[in-house]
Amino acid sequence: MDEHRREATHRLTTSGLHQGSQQVLRESGSVSEGEEESAGTNPVTHEGDLQAHHIAIQRNSRYYRSIRLPNRGKRKTSRDSIHMGHSTGALKNNEPIKEPLNVLPHTGSPSPANSDPTTLDELWIQRDPAAAEETPAAGTAGAPPAHPMTADSWRNLIEHIGLLYQEYRDKSTREEIETRRLQDSQTDPEEISPSEETPSEAESTSTIENKAPPQINLLRNSNSRFNLWQDLPEVQSSGVLSILQPDEIKLQEAMFELVTSEASYYKSLNLLVSHFMENERLKKILHQSEAHILFSNVLDVMAVSERFLLDLEQRVEENIVISDVCDIVYQHTVSHFSVYITYVSNQTYQERAYKQLLQDKPAFREVISQLELDPKCKGLSFSSFLILPFQRITRLKLLVQNILKKVEEKSDRESTALDAHKELETVVKACNEGVRKMSRTEQMISIQKKLEFKIKSVPIISHSRWLLKQGELQQMNGPKTSRTLRTKKLFREIYLFLFNDLLVICRQIPGDKYQVFDSAPRGLLRVEELEDQGQSLANVFILRLLENADDREASYMLKASSQSEMKRWMISLAPNRRTKFVSFTSRLVDCPQIQCVHPYVAQQPDELSLELADVLNILDKTDDGWIFGERLHDQERGWFPSSMGEEILNPKIRAQNLKECFRVHKSDDSQRRKLGSRNRQ
């Protein structure tokens, strides 16, 4: 079978594909007859089974002559060269961007009256088809083959993407939910795809089209003539769909989604800058310092996105069968994506400044409301544009994960995807840590002011300390034999502050103060659940301090307000304790799983914020509607309401999810085992 496929591939690529691609390019004016003949005399080989003839994409723009051509060789170097240095003009981590990297110079701030800021005219290079006659056809014997996509076709595709990034993200995640629902309902193992379908994937070939689950075409809308990679006219006319394996088509869709979603993201960023930030009325209302806090370094972020998108654009233009995109992701993550850390770390101050401006400046509130009503914003709020960078860097990591699940195991593309994912994960963690650090410092200062020590004072504020959980519990008074007493005399209120390394036990006193009467290192805490012994002792557990503030062992019998509250305290106090479904020292092969169908924002430090389509292992759950879970794509753990998700019932889907999770994180699995419980909170 493979021998017949190779023969068919050879015949197609030496005749039909060549003729088809030449015909398309002749009609578009991108290649002359002389160049067609020259290109046809240079057969070359590509990495995959597909072969063709290279036809260079000719450009004659000012930017292409001055910037793109001199730097072409630099972009083709391997990702390993990043550690040896970068080109002189490259952006580097911790180095501010002096001015945006505009492809064409701005002639002034766009205004709704004379321009449309949602178009990408300033981004995409102006190509002159007539320039093809001035440059000899590229390609010599032994050069890599390609099915190039004409520059005009690619620009046309990007400009007709009608979705803003917020719309794309919502459609993508909701389709992912529907796809998983359909897969979960399948009981025949043969009907379950070997890898998880994603929003950008449609039916791979005509032979399996009827068997595949119905897909929502992500880019299909009233403003777009194109849908997916396989819907591109160049792809359909080339005949590659009859040659590529279904798994390779899925991989192409995954890489294509990364590129087109970056274009949608840039479009939304451009709207944030041109429609909001550069609005003259808003400039007059905001003080320079207020504008700086509100918009932070968004110009740097947009410049980085622009440069990233241009490199992705060039890769797609080189060949309609995309060779790889993760190498480009890797290079830009290492070299440029530190601007995301700066922007996201300021999120706490940004949100506070925005709320304060809405409250203190009616003129600001009025202008923002009017700008939000503009049709360009498509009903989206100003705040949804401000959080774009954080959403994008997180989503980009998931898109690389999706590619990683589809590349061949132990291949160069898998190695590249793993490297890109590792670097993106570093950036995302730094972003999260930046946000937490800002809020934690203020929180620790506030707690320190409220505490009065009845015992030896313990310094609360520390750079390595943060709050895990706080709240009120009922402490049992007297010996255990006093259980016949009425509930109101049996227990008294105490208040706990649990930090990542310390427990402080207090009683609330007038003036919103807390008097500390005991404390212990978190590592010297043990918990024990009591069996239900009646209503008065329901939700009761024993807390043991192996060494308290007086250097002796102490025990407290504590009662929580509900079963979920009791379990949340027990898991927070003793994180290495075995849960209902899984031990922290070993994973079960078939752990219960749930996918998020409603977003959730954490209300307490021990809770976990959820995004649509998140998949989590269920580690524990309570009868009153709370789940303690671990998110698969980043191993973050926390509590959330069970109503936020739907349990995945199909064991084969659960096994596939775990397999993909282990593959994505296999490069840092050993490190996670060494870190142990420190990464679990």
Side-chain angles (χ1 to χ4, degrees), residues 568-616:
R568 288 171 65 168
W569 271 111
M570 292 179 69
I571 289 178
S572 296
L573 290 164
N576 291 325
R577 180 177 174 272
R578 181 183 177 90
T579 62
K580 182 175 182 180
F581 295 108
V582 66
S583 168
F584 284 125
T585 57
S586 62
R587 296 179 180 273
L588 298 180
V589 175
D590 188 19
C591 181
Q593 291 178 4
I594 191 171
Q595 79 159 332
C596 173
V597 296
H598 302 290
Y600 180 70
V601 178
Q603 305 298 314
Q604 298 291 334
D606 65 334
E607 295 180 7
L608 184 64
S609 294
L610 301 178
E611 298 286 348
L612 287 173
D614 280 350
V615 177
L616 306 97

Side-chain angles (χ1 to χ4, degrees), residues 441-556:
T441 301
E442 295 181 355
Q443 187 180 46
M444 297 300 290
I445 294 174
S446 175
I447 293 174
Q448 174 75 64
K449 293 178 179 179
K450 295 180 179 181
L451 298 182
E452 294 182 0
F453 284 85
K454 186 178 180 180
I455 58 174
K456 182 180 178 181
S457 178
V458 178
I460 297 297
I461 300 177
S462 171
H463 291 297
S464 59
R465 178 174 294 155
W466 61 87
L467 184 70
L468 293 180
K469 189 171 179 60
Q470 69 178 39
E472 186 177 87
L473 292 170
Q474 303 291 321
Q475 179 194 2
M476 178 179 175
N477 287 322
K480 298 180 181 179
T481 54
S482 303
R483 295 176 182 173
T484 56
L485 299 176
R486 289 181 297 174
T487 302
K488 65 178 181 180
K489 294 183 178 180
L490 184 58
F491 295 97
R492 63 178 301 184
E493 298 173 352
I494 64 171
Y495 203 92
L496 272 59
F497 289 95
L498 178 64
F499 305 98
N500 61 307
D501 61 346
L502 178 69
L503 172 67
V504 176
I505 306 177
C506 320
R507 288 192 177 92
Q508 191 167 6
I509 58 178
D512 195 25
K513 299 281 186 178
Y514 298 90
Q515 187 179 68
V516 180
F517 65 87
D518 208 351
S519 65
R522 187 177 177 224
L524 299 180
L525 304 178
R526 301 293 184 269
V527 294
E528 176 186 346
E529 183 177 357
L530 291 182
E531 295 181 3
D532 191 356
Q533 301 183 32
Q535 184 63 33
S536 63
L537 292 177
N539 307 319
V540 173
F541 67 97
I542 296 175
L543 170 63
R544 302 189 189 278
L545 282 58
L546 301 184
E547 185 177 313
N548 70 351
D550 297 328
D551 297 328
R552 60 183 177 83
E553 184 174 341
S555 296
Y556 296 90

Side-chain angles (χ1 to χ4, degrees), residues 341-405:
I341 302 175
T342 303
Y343 186 93
V344 176
S345 296
N346 292 327
Q347 184 175 330
T348 301
Y349 299 121
Q350 184 186 62
E351 292 175 351
R352 184 181 305 166
Y354 180 50
K355 291 178 181 178
Q356 197 69 33
L357 287 169
L358 289 176
Q359 180 178 341
D360 298 343
K361 293 190 175 184
F364 172 81
R365 185 169 61 248
E366 180 183 354
V367 171
I368 290 295
S369 298
Q370 291 176 357
L371 293 175
E372 288 176 337
L373 292 175
D374 193 290
K376 299 183 185 71
C377 295
K378 299 186 176 181
L380 298 168
S381 66
F382 174 55
S383 58
S384 74
F385 287 91
L386 289 178
I387 63 174
L388 282 171
F390 180 66
Q391 291 180 335
R392 179 54 183 173
I393 195 65
T394 305
R395 182 68 181 176
L396 192 59
K397 188 188 79 166
L398 298 180
L399 292 172
V400 171
Q401 282 187 8
N402 189 35
I403 294 172
L404 181 55
K405 295 171 186 177

